[in-house]
Amino acid sequence: AAGLCLGLIAAAPALAFSDVSGEELSEAVEVLSGLGIVSGYSDGSYHPDDALTRAQFCKLAVLAEGHGDKINAGAYRTLFSDVPGSNWAAPYVNLAYEEGLVSGYGDGTFGPDDPVTVGQAVTAVLRLLGYTAEEIGPFWPEDAMSLADSLGLLDGLDKTAARALS
């Protein structure tokens, strides 16, 4: 997940997490942390091998686009039956949905604790980059994956759209 968003950002000050190793991953996490996009856990860990949830991804996407100042407008509202306004993620999920970055499921739920898939994340990143549904194409997730691959967004990543992003 950090790698997908890293292409959108420049450099930031370093901050170490106890469970992050490897130069490339460390740099990506440090940049995102320095920009206030990710914060890790209170024990100083980051959990880089955990699957990223849809709620966590919404927070990452909203903060990566620089709209952290708008989250209060979405606070305490319930747009999805499984994301009550009291949920920590409600402002992020609501704003990401209202800005067209993410969608819910057809039954009125969002699945905030479901793992975000590569296809879902790629679609949101393309939307963050300004691509419209018409530019992405009508066949999801194939068209989104193809466009992302042609842009180099999938370089070094598993290109399986249904795979959980970690």
Side-chain angles (χ1 to χ4, degrees):
L4 274 175
C5 290
L6 187 58
L8 302 175
I9 2 187
L15 176 66
F17 291 98
S18 61
D19 57 348
V20 173
S21 61
E23 186 176 338
E24 189 173 314
L25 177 61
S26 294
E27 181 180 343
V29 171
E30 288 172 5
V31 167
L32 293 172
S33 177
L35 292 171
I37 295 171
V38 298
S39 56
Y41 293 84
S42 60
D43 65 356
S45 64
Y46 184 74
H47 299 210
D49 296 323
D50 290 356
L52 193 64
T53 68
R54 288 171 48 90
Q56 291 168 331
F57 186 80
C58 285
K59 180 178 179 181
L60 189 148
V62 165
L63 296 178
E65 74 177 333
H67 288 176
D69 59 332
K70 295 181 180 181
I71 59 165
N72 288 335
Y76 310 112
R77 290 186 297 143
T78 300
L79 297 181
F80 299 100
S81 62
D82 58 347
V83 187
S86 60
N87 185 299
W88 72 268
Y92 301 102
V93 170
N94 293 346
L95 186 57
Y97 173 76
E98 289 168 351
E99 293 187 350
L101 301 177
V102 298
S103 299
Y105 299 133
D107 63 357
T109 63
F110 183 76
D113 297 322
D114 293 350
V116 67
T117 67
V118 173
Q120 293 165 346
V122 160
T123 302
V125 169
L126 289 171
R127 291 174 179 163
L128 279 168
L129 292 172
Y131 287 91
T132 65
E134 292 76 27
E135 293 168 321
I136 295 171
F139 302 105
W140 188 85
E142 293 82 6
D143 289 339
M145 295 295 290
S146 178
L147 178 57
D149 196 28
S150 72
L151 295 170
L153 297 176
L154 299 177
D155 291 353
L157 297 176
D158 181 329
K159 298 176 185 178
T160 306
R163 186 182 63 78
L165 187 66
S166 60

